[in-house]
Amino acid sequence: MKGRDFLSSVDIGIDLGTANTVITIGGKGIVVNEPSVVAYDKKKHQVLAVGAQAYKMIGRTPEYIVAVKPLKDGVISDNDTTEAMVSAFIHRVSSSMMLKPRIILCVPSLITDVENRAVIDAALSAGARKVFIIKEPIAALLGAGVDISKASGAMVVDIGGGTTDIAVTSFNGIVQDTSIKIAGNKLDEAIIKYISAKYKIIVGEKTAEQAKMNIVNVYHPDANRTMTVKGRNLLKGLPESLEISETDGYEAVIDLVDEIVGGIKTVLERTPPELVGDILASGIVLTGGGALLKGLDMLIREVIGAPCYIAKDPLKCVAKGVEAAFDLSEELLDGFEKISLYRYK
């Protein structure tokens, strides 16, 4: 094995998401993609499980065991459990490594300095020899294959589980950005509320997510296109099936989608005219699970007046970008005063 390949095999990239944590290893790609959940024993004061194992415990444990999601709406809501989760994931993937790994942590845009330090300390205590921090919009653009090193504008709308991150970049840095607490989870909640209010039937989160993926169309919905959902009748308390259409899906989420589009407008209004001209030429990149919302790219194109396209494999863009950042470490991660990436020694 060549020296460069060997060293890359001890590079770990971690995308800390509200819904899922994705871990990549140089040369191997994605090795972990599990829910951001921690199961904690309050009696013994210790972590029992993280990820998929902890997710299975939600709603199924005795009182003294809690399964919690340490990230909420794109921010770290519990420093201790986030630190424990990061540490456990790192130990899981690095236990067989002979050398201490370099680690890049991709963190939510709204993270504070205290939260930043908590996850960095977790990575260092788990055995990292060097820790880097990268912001989600930068990672998303790298993963989408966009060259952000040039002095020209690029715009990304990264719609995850907890937040939508919108940013304009140029010359390896973020020029303007914002983060909106409207994303996949809020869209699911909106569908649940809509069906409950209109049809008096309560459906579960998974059903709402399936409806979002299959029947929501935010650009010219078709009332004749339907799907069956199953839930519980609020009046009778009994199971019931229901046909909902694309029109229902549109009405359920359009107000939230309009807020996302409004966020794009706000960022563009604050962006220097020269960079706006670049974006009109190159287009807006959609990444994250929300990029797959039917008709969203066409709606943005019509309202904003700029080209808009969905990145290839949008769900994995951020994770791919984190992995790609290692090869660009000289350009991206040194001289942090130029860019929104931070280096801790």
Side-chain angles (χ1 to χ4, degrees):
M1 183 183 285
K2 295 180 181 179
R4 181 180 174 84
D5 294 337
F6 178 75
L7 289 173
S8 70
S9 69
V10 290
D11 288 339
I12 297 175
I14 303 175
D15 171 21
L16 272 182
T18 302
N20 280 42
T21 294
V22 183
I23 298 180
T24 63
I25 292 180
K28 295 181 181 178
I30 295 172
V31 293
V32 170
N33 185 356
E34 296 190 15
S36 299
V37 182
V38 178
Y40 185 77
D41 187 323
K42 292 192 287 185
K43 285 185 177 179
K44 297 181 179 179
H45 301 290
Q46 67 181 36
V47 173
L48 297 178
V50 299
Q53 285 182 310
Y55 183 76
K56 291 176 183 176
M57 296 183 185
I58 293 177
R60 298 173 180 269
T61 59
E63 201 174 278
Y64 60 89
I65 296 176
V66 292
V68 297
K69 296 180 179 180
L71 290 99
K72 184 175 176 60
D73 294 336
V75 296
I76 294 172
S77 58
D78 189 318
N79 279 359
D80 292 336
T81 52
T82 301
E83 190 172 341
M85 182 179 73
V86 170
S87 183
F89 276 133
I90 292 171
H91 280 299
R92 185 192 299 182
V93 299
S94 66
S95 57
S96 61
M97 292 180 179
M98 290 183 289
L99 294 177
K100 288 185 175 182
R102 292 189 306 168
I103 292 175
I104 289 184
L105 285 161
C106 183
V107 295
S109 295
L110 298 177
I111 196 168
T112 65
D113 288 340
V114 173
E115 293 163 348
N116 236 345
R117 178 53 64 181
V119 292
I120 290 165
D121 288 344
L124 290 171
S125 65
R129 77 175 188 273
K130 192 177 289 184
V131 180
F132 303 98
I133 294 291
I134 185 171
K135 279 191 174 183
E136 276 188 25
I138 292 285
L141 282 170
L142 287 175
V146 177
D147 183 359
I148 63 170
S149 64
K150 298 176 182 177
S152 61
M155 188 172 201
V156 63
V157 181
D158 180 47
I159 308 171
T163 59
T164 293
D165 291 310
I166 304 165
V168 172
T169 68
S170 177
F171 201 54
N172 288 333
I174 294 175
V175 178
Q176 289 293 339
D177 68 337
T178 191
S179 191
I180 303 170
K181 292 185 179 181
I182 295 172
N185 295 344
K186 284 287 194 297
L187 296 176
D188 295 344
E189 291 172 15
I191 291 168
I192 292 171
K193 288 178 182 176
Y194 179 88
I195 294 174
S196 173
K198 185 173 181 178
Y199 297 107
K200 302 297 183 284
I201 291 175
I202 185 75
V203 297
E205 289 180 17
K206 290 182 179 179
T207 299
E209 187 176 18
Q210 286 297 317
K212 177 182 68 181
M213 292 188 291
N214 296 322
I215 206 68
V216 171
N217 182 350
V218 297
Y219 188 79
H220 296 167
D222 182 0
N224 295 317
R225 190 166 181 272
T226 64
M227 74 172 283
T228 302
V229 295
K230 297 177 182 179
R232 187 180 72 248
N233 189 296
L234 289 171
L235 303 177
K236 301 175 184 175
L238 299 174
E240 190 170 320
S241 295
L242 170 72
E243 288 281 323
I244 60 171
S245 69
E246 280 193 352
T247 303
D248 288 315
Y250 174 88
E251 291 176 354
V253 306
I254 192 58
D255 288 345
L256 296 180
V257 171
D258 282 343
E259 288 191 49
I260 293 174
V261 176
I264 298 172
K265 284 182 180 177
T266 300
V267 170
L268 285 172
E269 285 168 1
R270 299 199 305 254
T271 300
E274 291 82 359
L275 297 183
V276 173
D278 295 335
I279 293 163
L280 281 171
S282 61
I284 299 167
V285 185
L286 294 180
T287 64
L292 299 173
L293 198 65
K294 189 176 179 182
L296 180 60
D297 55 335
M298 291 180 283
L299 178 68
I300 292 172
R301 190 179 302 135
E302 183 175 280
V303 175
I304 301 298
C308 182
Y309 66 94
I310 302 167
K312 183 181 178 182
D313 203 359
L315 287 164
K316 296 178 181 177
C317 274
V318 171
K320 287 180 177 178
V322 171
E323 186 176 17
F326 282 113
D327 293 331
L328 300 168
S329 60
E330 292 302 314
E331 293 84 2
L332 289 176
L333 301 175
D334 290 329
F336 64 86
E337 69 278 0
K338 293 189 299 185
I339 52 178
S340 299
L341 304 179
Y342 304 90
R343 175 176 175 173
Y344 290 81
K345 296 181 179 179

